[in-house]
Amino acid sequence: MSVKNWGIVALHTIMLFLLFSVLFPLTFSAVSQPQNHKNRNPKTSDASSAVFQVEGNVYPLGHYTVSLSIGNPPKLYDFDIDSGSDLTWVQCDAPCQGCTKPPDQLYKPKNNLVQCGEELCAGIHLSNEYQCAAPSDQCDYEVEYADQGSSLGVLVRDQITLLYTNGSVVRPRIGFGCGYHQKYFGLNSPPSTAGVLGLGRGIVSFLSQLHALGLIRDVVGHCLSVKGGGFLFFGDDLIPSSGVVWIPMFPSSLEKHYSAGPAKLLFDGKLTSIKDLELIFDSGSSYTYLNSEAYQAIVDLISNDLKRQKLERAIDDDSLPICWKGAKPFKSLSEKHGNVCLGILDGTEVGLEKLNIIGDISLQDKIVIYDNENKKIGWMSANCDKLSVDREVEEGFPRRYATDSGIFSDRCPAIYGTTEK
């Protein structure tokens, strides 16, 4: 389901800002009040959380990544973090078609293929159509994304180094895809990442496997900085004791995704006519996608509101579907000049039908928590730049974990769904 945006991230000189007053926190008609999150499941491991530093941004990269250390001896690979899909995969030296990394940066399998008869193999296939000629055969996979990008390969299992915030290290064997045939669509170059880190709710996701091994609680969260970077964490030790707004996960047909709803759309704190929105939180999508009805309503509301700002539509600007220009060019952080563009797109036009995806542009400078143990999703304003990390290296593994408790701060809940070029 994840919209990878491999073909639509070129914004030229755009800097993206999305006002959470459009979507968060008042999107939902019945958000729960902030509450303490100290309910521990006694059946799960009491292990500490693991935190990884995030690299990247919405513009110009179009994705946020973490580095994982795989194999023995360990080797670092960078992954696009994706809460909208399950399967983790890395570009594979098998040989590889459509790979974006040089051969020395591809993953090399070493007699570690997952067999077709294993439960992990069954978990990556959504139907009973996949049949094993023999249980000992290799487990093939193919994953497709909403923008028609895809990865084809074989499932493998290898050690992945996990460093806890308390300093302890474990190296569990985790299953992931070794992708030897990737396809990308669009006018722009594919991302330079080695692969995709699947953080969804399915049994093959990175999170689910760590939880099944008793290594962490079934919780994952991320904080994506509007300035670039941020952090990703597994387990619940870093969840603030107060200030988080929680909503229940919505039981939908897309049970492997983090869904919330039905939601009503508010603009500037006021109800609109748009309701019953099913929302999917997807860190693998650069932008937010609303169905045609909701999208057009947002466009009309923002356009009318911007008339007071003396902005005009920049019809000749094809960076994004809707851009505006002012009396003089806006300045981006890189001191270039351009227009202001809307960071919300029409999901119906790209085949999402009635689904609505909350992408990175809407998740910036918010700590977003997916709590599968308690079946709820939470968020709060946060300074995603304030994760202190110890970059000391042990056996090729960078120690990336919080070293202070001051990573959260009160921030105003953002301002519009526009982007500066």
Side-chain angles (χ1 to χ4, degrees):
M1 175 53 59
S2 182
V3 181
K4 300 311 298 177
N5 290 320
W6 284 335
I8 56 174
V9 293
L11 308 178
H12 304 298
T13 57
I14 296 177
M15 178 66 186
L16 299 167
F17 300 96
L18 181 62
L19 303 178
F20 266 71
S21 59
V22 177
L23 295 172
F24 292 102
L26 298 176
T27 293
F28 304 99
S29 57
V31 288
S32 59
Q33 295 298 315
Q35 56 184 280
N36 290 339
H37 184 86
K38 292 301 180 184
N39 295 326
R40 302 283 191 174
N41 186 342
K43 295 182 180 180
T44 58
S45 169
D46 196 34
S48 183
S49 294
V51 186
F52 294 85
Q53 183 180 1
V54 168
E55 308 282 346
N57 50 44
V58 174
Y59 172 80
L61 296 180
H63 56 265
Y64 290 85
T65 68
V66 296
S67 294
L68 297 180
S69 184
I70 302 177
N72 187 16
K75 183 177 179 180
L76 282 175
Y77 300 89
D78 56 337
F79 291 84
D80 183 358
I81 60 174
D82 188 5
S83 63
S85 67
D86 289 334
L87 182 65
T88 295
W89 59 267
V90 63
Q91 297 184 60
C92 186
D93 185 7
C96 189
Q97 298 182 41
C99 280
T100 61
K101 293 285 189 178
D104 63 340
Q105 296 183 34
L106 301 178
Y107 176 80
K108 184 79 171 179
K110 299 177 181 178
N111 300 318
N112 57 343
L113 301 183
V114 171
Q115 295 184 350
C116 186
E118 295 185 43
E119 181 181 2
L120 195 63
C121 183
I124 68 173
H125 299 286
L126 300 179
S127 69
N128 295 324
E129 297 178 0
Y130 184 78
Q131 300 292 331
C132 298
S136 59
D137 286 350
Q138 69 182 33
C139 178
D140 299 314
Y141 80 87
E142 183 173 10
V143 58
E144 296 181 349
Y145 300 99
D147 64 352
Q148 300 182 4
S150 64
S151 174
L152 174 69
V154 61
L155 206 64
V156 298
R157 187 181 280 111
D158 206 343
Q159 289 185 356
I160 295 183
T161 305
L162 193 68
L163 180 66
Y164 291 127
T165 54
N166 63 12
S168 61
V169 178
V170 293
R171 295 181 175 86
R173 291 180 63 82
I174 300 294
F176 56 92
C178 193
Y180 53 74
H181 191 181
Q182 278 65 246
K183 292 183 180 179
Y184 313 94
F185 288 85
L187 301 176
N188 308 298
S189 300
S192 60
T193 56
V196 171
L197 180 63
L199 302 176
R201 301 172 63 192
I203 65 172
V204 301
S205 80
F206 189 77
L207 170 67
S208 296
Q209 291 188 63
L210 291 177
H211 175 65
L213 292 172
L215 297 175
I216 51 97
R217 291 186 173 86
D218 199 0
V219 177
V220 64
H222 54 69
C223 200
L224 308 177
S225 171
V226 70
K227 297 179 181 179
F231 57 93
L232 170 76
F233 63 90
F234 299 93
D236 61 356
D237 288 348
L238 286 184
I239 297 178
S241 59
S242 63
V244 180
V245 178
W246 294 99
I247 58 170
M249 290 185 184
F250 185 59
S252 69
S253 58
L254 298 171
E255 58 185 25
K256 292 185 178 182
H257 297 86
Y258 298 109
S259 180
K264 295 180 180 179
L265 185 65
L266 288 84
F267 183 82
D268 197 22
K270 300 177 182 178
L271 278 171
T272 70
S273 61
I274 304 301
K275 59 182 180 179
D276 297 328
L277 293 173
E278 181 177 354
L279 305 175
I280 294 175
F281 291 73
D282 184 4
S283 64
S285 173
S286 298
Y287 304 114
T288 286
Y289 291 81
L290 300 179
N291 67 61
S292 290
E293 181 183 8
Y295 172 75
Q296 192 57 55
I298 281 292
V299 170
D300 292 342
L301 288 166
I302 293 177
S303 297
N304 291 333
D305 191 58
L306 288 180
K307 289 179 180 178
R308 298 176 297 174
Q309 308 297 327
K310 297 182 180 180
L311 297 181
E312 298 180 4
R313 285 285 291 271
I315 301 176
D316 57 343
D317 191 336
D318 60 357
S319 301
L320 282 174
I322 297 180
C323 296
W324 293 271
K325 59 183 178 181
K328 59 181 180 179
F330 295 93
K331 292 184 177 181
S332 69
L333 295 180
S334 58
E335 300 300 328
K336 295 181 181 180
H337 298 78
N339 302 320
V340 173
C341 298
L342 182 64
I344 305 173
L345 305 179
D346 189 335
T348 305
E349 287 188 354
V350 298
L352 296 178
E353 299 180 354
K354 288 293 184 178
L355 292 178
N356 306 277
I357 288 180
I358 308 302
D360 291 345
I361 183 64
S362 303
L363 302 176
Q364 293 179 111
D365 279 355
K366 296 283 180 180
I367 179 170
V368 182
I369 307 150
Y370 310 103
D371 184 348
N372 292 297
E373 300 224 353
N374 295 294
K375 300 296 187 292
K376 59 185 181 180
I377 302 171
W379 66 83
M380 67 177 291
S381 297
N383 186 342
C384 297
D385 300 312
K386 285 206 174 177
L387 174 65
S388 297
V389 294
D390 179 355
R391 290 185 175 274
E392 184 179 340
V393 174
E394 180 203 28
E395 298 183 18
F397 179 75
R399 296 187 176 184
R400 298 178 174 182
Y401 53 89
T403 57
D404 63 39
S405 59
I407 59 177
F408 307 108
S409 65
D410 294 329
R411 300 283 290 267
C412 58
I415 350 177
Y416 248 136
T418 55
T419 63
E420 185 178 336
K421 291 180 55 190

